[in-house]
Amino acid sequence: PRSDNAKSIVVRELIQDAQAAKLGKPNVYMLEGYIAARTLVEAIRKAGRDPTAAKLRKAIESINEWDMGGFRISFDGSRTGSKLVELSLIDSTGKLRD
């Protein structure tokens, strides 16, 4: 999702967490890292006590249609958690334009 789309629950949660941590205005890079980190935390939780690399891999692969506040993550047999693609443009000054 777009990092400025406050209609998305996961974006609203990122905005709240970024404000609490005094990180400034979220951008697309923060959102991508936020989603990746939350996915990893979910996999660690699913791996159970004393997670090993094998348990973590199995836990990641078991994530199927997990709804992270309006953004779905699914690794059902693939290594791609999401197929959502939103185009952005990097302008001549190096700034990202959603």
Side-chain angles (χ1 to χ4, degrees), residues 6 9 12 18 24 30 47 60-61 71-73 76 84 86 90 95:
I9 295 168
R12 283 197 311 263
M30 287 174 70
I60 289 171
E61 290 172 348
F71 183 76
R72 293 201 175 278
I73 302 291
D76 57 354
L84 175 69
E86 291 204 10
I90 299 174
K95 292 187 179 181

Side-chain angles (χ1 to χ4, degrees), residues 1-2 5 8 22 24 26 36 43 50 72 90:
R2 291 175 53 110
N5 180 6
S8 172
K22 297 179 176 36
D50 303 317
R72 293 201 175 278
I90 299 174

